[in-house]
Amino acid sequence: MLLSFHVKNSRSILDITIPMTYGERKAPNGYEEMELSPFLEAGAIRTVPCLAMYGANASGKSNIVKAFLSLTGIVRRKYLPATYSPNKLHPEDSIISYALEFLKNGHTYRYTLETDNREIVSEKLEENSTCMFSVEKRTLHALKITTDVYTEDKLSAIFSVECLNQERLFQTPFLTVVGKNYAGLNTSMSAAFSYIINNIEVYPNNNFPFSLSLGKLAGTYENKEVQAAFDDIVSILRKLDIDITRMEYTQNVI
């Protein structure tokens, strides 16, 4: 469950946090009598199942999505300085900051990342407010993830070899290296990496094939049936009362 997303100094964004939880006493009036629950619930945490952003043209809505895409792209692959795009109205601030807070397996995680025009400046993962690891000035502080085999010195060596490029610039997140190459090292890091990679998908525009969206919707069904997903789409369109009463979908296999 996604709890919040924070971004600072990215494109037109100066500093913004997008909360995705209902604060105490903020649930909609009469929600207990609603046919469908207006929130997702996990213990005392309630998150919104759907969040809409609206505003005037060129007000920065798309830049929030692009910032989200930038963060997930860095974790999936590595940081590409060519994507560096800070807020040009405040040139004194050269650091772009991201923070993602989410809930997985009953644990709350907060992953933060900062970049400049050359490399990752800092990286940190917290679980239930406890710092699991952090990186500052290309120095790894392993803290809670060391083992008898993977001592802090060994983890620092892994960081130096796999996170720094030939110019000794920090461009591959430590979370990515551990998540991809050392998945059994630490359950918290594996859980955080898996959530970002497997549970978050960002589409910066609507130009994707119908078959892709249908497949994604089908993935929400336990039986993975595309037909069930398609029937749901038809049902929703009928309820919109836009004179569509029947649709057919044929998949051509080449």
Side-chain angles (χ1 to χ4, degrees):
M1 296 167 60
L2 194 58
L3 304 179
S4 69
F5 176 57
H6 173 258
V7 59
K8 180 180 179 181
N9 194 39
S10 176
R11 294 182 171 86
S12 65
I13 300 170
L14 183 59
D15 192 348
I16 188 171
T17 298
I18 309 296
M20 300 178 191
T21 59
Y22 284 100
E24 188 176 355
R25 298 186 179 181
K26 295 297 182 180
N29 293 331
Y31 75 89
E32 293 177 340
E33 287 74 39
M34 293 181 180
E35 183 178 352
L36 295 176
S37 176
F39 45 74
L40 303 175
E41 202 164 11
I45 298 177
R46 295 170 174 172
T47 64
V48 296
C50 181
L51 178 69
M53 294 185 293
Y54 59 91
N57 289 341
S59 62
K61 302 184 299 296
S62 296
N63 286 339
I64 294 174
V65 177
K66 290 177 180 177
F68 216 141
L69 184 63
S70 295
L71 175 59
T72 56
I74 294 170
V75 176
R76 287 179 183 275
R77 294 172 292 276
K78 66 177 184 178
Y79 176 54
L80 301 174
T83 63
Y84 176 73
S85 184
N87 187 304
K88 295 182 179 179
L89 295 179
H90 296 80
E92 71 281 357
D93 190 354
S94 62
I95 305 298
I96 298 177
S97 303
Y98 309 95
L100 190 66
E101 191 173 13
F102 52 93
L103 182 73
K104 184 175 177 66
N105 300 330
H107 295 251
T108 301
Y109 295 90
R110 182 178 177 83
Y111 179 66
T112 58
L113 195 74
E114 294 185 324
T115 65
D116 62 15
N117 64 337
R118 301 178 69 212
E119 63 180 334
I120 298 170
V121 176
S122 69
E123 181 187 16
K124 181 166 66 172
L125 177 68
E126 297 170 274
E127 179 187 10
N128 297 334
S129 300
T130 298
C131 183
M132 303 305 294
F133 81 89
S134 67
V135 181
E136 295 284 347
K137 297 181 179 179
R138 305 174 194 161
T139 300
L140 173 67
H141 304 283
L143 300 178
K144 298 294 184 178
I145 67 170
T146 57
T147 67
D148 291 340
V149 176
Y150 288 93
T151 62
E152 184 146 1
D153 286 342
K154 185 167 184 177
L155 291 174
S156 294
I158 290 174
F159 170 80
S160 179
V161 172
E162 302 189 41
C163 294
L164 306 184
N165 65 10
Q166 293 180 345
E167 299 176 353
R168 311 307 295 163
L169 296 177
F170 178 22
Q171 293 189 343
T172 303
F174 186 63
L175 181 68
T176 303
V177 168
V178 172
K180 287 183 176 181
N181 303 331
Y182 306 90
L185 171 62
N186 181 269
T187 56
S188 298
M189 292 190 66
S190 294
F193 178 73
S194 174
Y195 181 86
I196 297 173
I197 296 301
N198 299 319
N199 294 85
I200 297 178
E201 294 191 46
V202 184
Y203 300 100
N205 55 58
N206 296 324
N207 297 323
F208 49 86
F210 177 72
S211 59
L212 174 62
S213 57
L214 187 58
K216 294 297 183 183
L217 182 58
T220 65
Y221 289 80
E222 291 184 1
N223 57 8
K224 307 291 185 181
E225 289 185 0
V226 171
Q227 186 60 48
F230 182 73
D231 292 343
D232 253 11
I233 292 175
V234 175
S235 176
I236 293 171
L237 289 174
R238 285 175 176 169
K239 292 179 181 178
L240 293 177
D241 193 22
I242 54 177
D243 297 327
I244 294 179
T245 58
R246 183 171 180 271
M247 290 178 62
E248 292 183 359
Y249 171 68
T250 302
Q251 185 174 6
N252 296 322
V253 179
I254 300 176

